Amino acid sequence: MKFLVLAFAAVASAQIPQSFITLIQPLLNALNATEDNRLNPFTTQILDTFIEPLEVQLERNSYVYRDGAQLMLDGAPWTASGANVYWLGLDENVIPPAGQPFYAPFNASYPTFGRITEVMNTLQTMGAHTIRSQTLGVSVGNPLSVMPALGVYNEEAFNTIDWSVFQARQHGIRIMAPLIDNYDYYHGGKFDFLRFRGINITSSDSSKVDPLVLEFYTNATIVNDFKDYISHLLLHVNQYTGLTYAEDPTIFAYETGNELGGPTFGDEYVPVEWTTEIASFIKQLAPQKLVVDGTYGVNKTHLPIEQIDIFSDHYYPPNNTKLMDDIALVQTVNKTYLVGEYDWTGNNPQASSLQSFYGIIESRQNTSEPVVVGDLFWSLFMHDVPNCNIFVNHTDGYELQYGNPLNSVQNNTQISLIRQHFFKMQGVTVDSYLPAVACPGNTAEYTYL
C-alpha cells in the first residue's frame, strides 16, 4: 500500500517523469476497474493531498547550497535563522533518575527524547529554520562522550544525536554543528585532544592560557587525531534514517569549531593552514556540506580560503555597527555571513535594540547579494520532559524558555520579536501573539511546514 500511495502521488506530480506515469497508469486503471475494489476513485484533488507530504519530504532530502553571497534550497533563497540548543547530544543541566547514565564530575547526562522533540516543536512554532548545537558535533573526553578517550568510541552516545537529527528532519529544521570547542567544557574541546597526547594544560577564567594550546593547530599528530574523530562522527550511520551524517541534508553545515582562537581570548589566532586542512577534510568526507569558519570573529586572513562557505561571529551584546562591518567584509569575497550567537534578552544597556539588529539582517534579504543569511539566538531551554511542569534552567542568564508562565513582560516581548523576525525571514508576516506549544508534542512525521 505504501508503494501505491507514492505511485498515486507521482501521477499527479508534474516533477515525476512521464515514463514513470506511463508505467503506473495501467495499475491505477486496473484498481479502479476491479469489481470488488474498495478504493474510492482518486480525483485530482485527493491526489493533491498525497503530493504535499511527498514534496515536503523531497525538499527535506535536498541539500542547502551556497550560490555566491546567499544560501539556496531547491533553487530558491534559504535563510538560517533559529536557535542555539547546545545540549541536544549531551546535557549538563538535569540530574537523571537513578540508574540512568550520569557522570557526576561534569554533571553530564543524556537528554530525554521528549526534551529533544519538544524543542523541535517549539522552534517550528517560532518559525525557525536552523539549530546550532555544540554537542551534535563536539563529544570527547568523558565517559558519556562519543569519544571518551583517544581512539575509543562509545556508540551509545550516538542515540541522542541520531534522534536529534531525525527529529530536526521531521520538523523541517536544519542543523549546524561545531566540531570542537575552544574551551574546557563538559562536552569536550581542544584541551582534551592536547591531554590525549600528554600536553596537560587547561583553560581558566583568565584571558590568557598556556601558549602550548597552539599545538592543537600545529602538531601533526594531534591534527590527525582530530581528523580521525571527525571521520568517525561524519561516517556514523543514523539508526533512524539509514544515512551517515555526511550524507544527511538535515545537517547543512559543520563549523570548524566554537569560538576558536589562540592563547589570548578573542585573538582570532587560528592558522590558515589548519582551517584549510580541516575544511578540506570535511568537504572530502561530505562534499555537499557547507563549512563554517569557527574562528571567534571574522579573521581576514581566512577570507580567501576556498573551502569556507560561511563566516560568523557572536554578539554579546548585539552591535549594529559591528554587524554591518562584518557583512561588508565578507561581501568582498562573495561569501555568506551568519550571526552564530547573540544575547536576545535586551538587558544590556549598551546593546543595539533587537528590532534594529534584525532590521539590518531583514533588509539585506531584499538585495541580490544578501551576504547575511540568518542569526541564532543563545539559547533555548524548555521542559524537563517527561515532567512538563518544570522548565530546565541554565546559569548564564541567556536561557530562553518559550511559554514559561514566569517569564517577565520584557522576556515575552523579546520572544515575540524573535518569532516575528524568524517568520519574516521566510517572507511571512505574523503578529505578536505567542502560540502555545504542546509538551512534548508530536514527533511530526506528518508535519508539512
Side-chain angles (χ1 to χ4, degrees), residues 73-227:
L73 177 63
D74 284 347
W78 182 84
T79 55
S81 290
N84 281 270
V85 192
Y86 76 85
W87 48 266
L88 290 173
L90 187 64
D91 188 36
E92 61 171 341
N93 301 282
V94 173
I95 297 177
Q100 296 297 310
F102 180 60
Y103 184 57
F106 293 166
N107 213 51
S109 66
Y110 300 121
T112 64
F113 282 17
R115 281 184 68 196
I116 294 167
T117 297
E118 185 195 21
V119 157
M120 301 300 172
N121 280 303
T122 301
L123 288 171
Q124 190 179 66
T125 300
M126 293 181 73
H129 268 171
T130 307
I131 285 174
R132 178 176 180 263
S133 182
Q134 278 83 347
T135 57
L136 298 186
V138 189
S139 186
V140 297
N142 81 66
L144 302 187
S145 299
V146 167
M147 193 176 80
L150 183 62
V152 176
Y153 291 99
N154 169 23
E155 297 305 312
E156 183 182 0
F158 281 111
N159 290 339
T160 47
I161 304 175
D162 284 352
W163 182 253
S164 296
V165 174
F166 175 60
Q167 283 298 288
R169 170 185 278 262
Q170 294 297 86
H171 289 78
I173 293 170
R174 304 288 172 136
I175 291 169
M176 165 181 160
L179 291 168
I180 196 66
D181 212 303
N182 193 60
Y183 312 112
D184 217 358
Y185 289 154
Y186 78 101
H187 53 266
K190 63 185 184 183
F191 292 95
D192 290 284
F193 281 91
L194 292 167
R195 287 192 287 266
F196 291 154
R197 292 298 179 177
I199 303 175
N200 294 309
I201 62 174
T202 185
S203 64
S204 66
D205 294 333
S206 65
S207 60
K208 296 195 72 171
V209 298
D210 192 314
L212 282 173
V213 72
L214 293 175
E215 291 280 313
F216 177 73
Y217 306 118
T218 60
N219 185 308
T221 299
I222 294 174
V223 172
N224 284 331
D225 291 342
F226 182 45
K227 289 167 68 176

Side-chain angles (χ1 to χ4, degrees), residues 307-329:
Q307 295 82 3
I308 296 296
D309 297 288
I310 304 171
F311 292 91
S312 179
D313 204 355
H314 300 170
Y315 290 79
Y316 297 97
N319 182 315
N320 290 351
T321 301
K322 184 174 183 293
L323 175 60
M324 290 187 289
D325 288 346
D326 281 351
I327 293 170
L329 186 58

